Amino acid sequence: MLTVDFDRLPVGPGTRVLDLGCGGGRHAFEVLRRGADVVAFDMDAGELEGVANMFTAMDKAGEVPAGATAETVTGDALRMPFEDASFDRVIAAEVLEHIPDDMAAMREIFRVLKPGGQAAITVPSFLPERICWALDEDYHTAPGGHVRIYTLAELSAKLKSVGMEVGTHHHAHGLHAPYWWIKCAVGVNNDDHPVAKAYHELLVWDIMKRPAVTRIAESLLNPLIGKSVVLYVRKPA
């Protein structure tokens, strides 16, 4: 399930891409499939082990185009172990809302981007996130959880303040917002609640099958209740 639109963040052979806070690696895998060189970066070594194993499996399955490379690096988003101007693209998907000093992380993204390089920054959308916070305190107070709710204006202003040129944006995962509202209403850690389980099964079915009816429904819901907002920015040349 991708949040970033790769028509707006083009990657391909010869493009060096940083997937910052890669988690399970969903965007890193897509970048590799497109033939780019990807660095999956996260502070969770356990997550990165699984990502590295998947990179290997993709290569064995013939899913990696000739010349494309992939590696995993463990580290802190506030002190990334990369030289200035190291990457053509940076993806930071659902990362900044977890970081108390988000401005420091934005400055690091700016630093490691090459002049003219582009980044895709995704965070939870204001309205769906605000409802989750109101429904269940555990949703945002758990260790490592979300520490802020962004408006699009705030996110844009902060990125501009570190030197980025702000471009287009869109919303994603409109079908997922109701799932998290249900989870928060019944207890965010209550995975066995029948309504939450049923909705989760619907989402899994949608991800696997991608039927036209849910694709149309999500396209209509995204501008209204899309769970994530994606902002595309550029480091001036």
Side-chain angles (χ1 to χ4, degrees), residues 84-200:
D84 296 355
S86 297
F87 295 95
D88 302 291
R89 305 283 186 269
V90 174
I91 297 169
E94 313 297 298
V95 173
L96 293 178
E97 69 274 11
H98 295 274
I99 302 175
D101 192 354
D102 61 337
M103 294 292 291
M106 292 179 193
R107 286 190 289 269
E108 277 289 271
I109 293 171
F110 185 87
R111 180 184 68 80
V112 302
L113 263 179
K114 295 178 181 178
Q118 298 170 267
I121 312 294
T122 97
V123 298
S125 301
F126 178 83
L127 178 60
E129 184 75 350
R130 187 68 191 85
I131 293 172
C132 286
W133 281 45
L135 288 172
D136 189 355
E137 186 175 352
D138 288 341
Y139 173 82
H140 66 94
T141 58
H146 299 179
V147 298
R148 70 177 59 77
I149 305 175
Y150 288 100
T151 63
L152 179 59
E154 177 191 358
L155 181 62
S156 299
K158 285 184 170 183
L159 288 163
K160 286 180 181 178
S161 75
V162 303
M164 294 291 195
E165 296 174 349
V166 174
T168 62
H169 74 275
H170 63 87
H171 292 79
H173 311 317
L175 290 175
H176 289 245
Y179 170 69
W180 284 102
W181 296 340
I182 293 168
K183 285 276 287 179
C184 289
V186 303
V188 73
N189 297 313
N190 184 3
D191 295 328
D192 294 326
H193 192 279
V195 177
K197 286 180 69 174
Y199 202 105
H200 183 265

Side-chain angles (χ1 to χ4, degrees), residues 40-117:
F41 182 80
D42 204 284
M43 66 188 307
D44 188 331
E47 286 268 42
L48 287 179
E49 183 178 357
V51 172
N53 290 338
M54 185 60 177
F55 285 154
T56 301
M58 289 173 63
D59 189 36
K60 290 180 178 178
E63 296 182 31
V64 179
T69 65
E71 63 176 305
T72 59
V73 177
T74 307
D76 187 338
L78 306 186
R79 293 177 296 277
M80 291 194 280
F82 308 115
E83 295 182 0
D84 296 355
S86 297
F87 295 95
D88 302 291
R89 305 283 186 269
V90 174
I91 297 169
E94 313 297 298
V95 173
L96 293 178
E97 69 274 11
H98 295 274
I99 302 175
D101 192 354
D102 61 337
M103 294 292 291
M106 292 179 193
R107 286 190 289 269
E108 277 289 271
I109 293 171
F110 185 87
R111 180 184 68 80
V112 302
L113 263 179
K114 295 178 181 178

